[in-house]
């Protein structure tokens, strides 16, 4: 089997594995086959356990894929830090999903903010570091310009979060709660991620190197949609309610993790097996082209 065939078959194999995992998730959520109580006090069942577990597995899948990409590069290469921060961010996001799972199975309804929100929020700082590093690799801006862009980006996110929370609270300052600020921070920050991902997709001229960024764009859109639906009160924390909107939103959320993972794996396999693509040590030059 030549490298091109191996690349194609590997991507298809991982895609089928992801599709099977997603199908299992939908089946458990929609059919609810595990009705035995897991924690009677919290009114959660084994269906809730497996729904949470599959979400954690999907998140871990994306983090593992990012680690594979990281292993393609040497510490001395500029892009190494891009994928290091990217991988750390996804592992922290996986920790957030695991923390949410524990809280959900313990309490049922998970308060906002919680420890899981702390992990999710920290992840955005690592993604910021990855974005800034990638921007540096492509355009070689000065340190002051990178600091300025980062500061403006985060200031915009914080201002927009407060503004959206203020408007959603009926323009009443006293009605703004920490829960609203956290829940509206996610879609605002995800929108920023989506914009940056599109920027890199354009920078790479929509070529093969855009796959991880395209996957991140899909996840950012799915996560922001989930956050907005949660704040609207349309989502539930348990599978027993058979809430159609919750099923759809949660399924899209898990699917987005898997799409991100496939994008990262495609990048890894491309670098590892495709003889027509530049070697890892030369990807910096390709990024500038």
């Amino acid at each position: 089997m030549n490298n091109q065939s191996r690349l194609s078959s590997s991507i298809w194999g991982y895609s089928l594995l992801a599709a099977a995992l997603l199908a299992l998730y939908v089946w458990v959520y929609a059919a609810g086959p595990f009705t035995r109580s897991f924690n009677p006090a919290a009114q959660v069942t084994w269906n809730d356990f497996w729904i949470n577990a599959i979400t954690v597995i999907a998140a871990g899948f994306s983090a593992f894929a990012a680690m594979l990409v990281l292993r393609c590069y040497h510490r001395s290469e500029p892009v190494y830090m891009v994928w290091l921060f990217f991988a750390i961010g996804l592992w922290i996001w996986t920790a957030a999903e695991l923390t949410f799972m524990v809280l959900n199975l313990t309490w049922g309804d998970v308060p906002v903010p919680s420890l899981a929100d702390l992990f999710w929020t920290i992840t955005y700082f690592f993604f910021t570091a990855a974005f800034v590093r990638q921007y540096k690799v492509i355009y070689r801006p000065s340190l002051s310009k990178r600091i300025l862009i980062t500061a403006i980006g985060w200031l915009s996110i914080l201002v927009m979060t407060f503004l959206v929370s203020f408007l959603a609270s009926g323009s009443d300052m006293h009605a703004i709660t920490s829960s609203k600020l956290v829940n509206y921070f996610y879609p605002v920050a995800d929108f920023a991620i989506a914009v940056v991902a599109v920027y890199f997709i354009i920078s790479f001229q929509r070529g093969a190197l855009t796959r991880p960024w395209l996957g991140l764009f899909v996840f950012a859109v799915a996560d922001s949609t989930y956050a907005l639906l949660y704040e609207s009160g349309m989502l539930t924390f348990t599978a027993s309610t058979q809430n159609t909107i919750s099923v759809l939103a949660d399924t899209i959320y898990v699917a987005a993790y898997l799409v991100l993972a496939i994008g990262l794996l495609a990048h890894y396999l491309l670098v590892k097996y495709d003889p027509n693509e530049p070697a890892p040590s030369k990807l910096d030059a390709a990024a500038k082209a």
Side-chain angles (χ1 to χ4, degrees):
M1 181 182 294
N2 59 36
N3 284 346
Q4 192 65 38
S5 298
R6 182 181 298 177
L7 173 63
S8 179
S9 61
S10 296
I11 292 176
W12 273 107
Y14 285 124
S15 298
L16 289 174
L17 178 63
L21 186 63
L22 186 62
L24 177 62
Y25 181 88
V26 173
W27 175 67
V28 173
Y29 216 139
F34 309 108
T35 56
R36 185 177 177 182
S37 179
F38 180 88
N39 182 0
Q43 296 183 329
V44 296
T45 67
W46 278 94
N47 288 316
D48 299 299
F49 173 87
W50 287 113
I51 287 171
N52 277 285
I54 293 173
T55 303
V56 173
I57 291 171
F61 188 22
S62 67
F64 175 73
M67 286 296 296
L68 289 179
V69 174
L70 177 64
R71 286 170 61 89
C72 291
Y73 303 98
H74 190 271
R75 291 176 181 271
S76 62
E77 297 176 87
V79 289
Y80 178 86
M81 296 304 296
V82 175
W83 298 111
L84 176 63
F85 287 129
F86 204 102
I88 291 174
L90 288 177
W91 278 118
I92 295 176
W93 225 330
T94 303
E97 298 292 355
L98 181 59
T99 302
F100 182 89
M101 175 181 176
V102 172
L103 295 177
N104 182 212
L105 297 178
T106 303
W107 297 337
D109 289 344
V110 180
V112 178
S114 68
L115 180 59
D117 292 297
L118 175 62
F119 287 136
W120 273 314
T121 302
I122 290 174
T123 298
Y124 288 98
F125 291 98
F126 282 95
F127 282 161
T128 299
F131 297 155
V132 172
R133 284 282 181 169
Q134 183 67 83
Y135 179 71
K136 176 184 177 182
V137 168
I138 299 174
Y139 297 107
R140 307 294 184 187
S142 63
L143 176 61
S144 59
K145 185 175 182 179
R146 298 199 304 272
I147 293 175
L148 179 62
I149 291 174
T150 303
I152 291 175
W154 269 101
L155 180 61
S156 299
I157 289 173
L158 295 177
V159 170
M160 284 300 299
T161 298
F162 178 81
L163 180 60
V164 173
S165 301
F166 178 71
L167 294 175
S169 302
S171 302
D172 182 1
M173 288 286 294
H174 299 288
I176 299 177
T177 63
S178 58
S179 176
K180 282 188 179 295
L181 288 172
V182 169
N183 285 328
Y184 284 120
F185 166 79
Y186 292 136
V188 172
D190 287 332
F191 176 77
I193 286 179
V195 170
V196 173
V198 169
Y199 177 79
F200 286 140
I201 289 171
I202 295 173
S203 297
F204 285 117
Q205 300 178 351
R206 300 187 296 277
L209 296 179
T210 66
R211 290 167 182 169
W213 304 110
L214 181 58
L216 187 61
F217 171 80
V218 172
F219 185 86
V221 173
D223 188 48
S224 61
T225 302
Y226 183 94
L228 290 172
L229 288 174
Y230 173 83
E231 179 58 26
S232 71
M234 301 174 71
L235 298 183
T236 59
F237 285 112
T238 176
S240 61
T241 60
Q242 296 296 313
N243 184 323
T244 302
I245 295 178
S246 290
V247 174
L248 182 60
D250 287 343
T251 301
I252 293 174
Y253 182 76
V254 173
Y257 264 129
L258 296 173
V259 169
L260 175 57
I262 294 300
L264 289 164
L265 284 170
H267 183 87
Y268 163 73
L269 293 169
L270 182 73
V271 172
K272 187 174 180 63
Y273 294 121
D274 193 345
N276 297 318
E277 289 297 321
S281 61
K282 298 179 181 178
L283 282 176
D284 294 350
K288 295 172 62 178

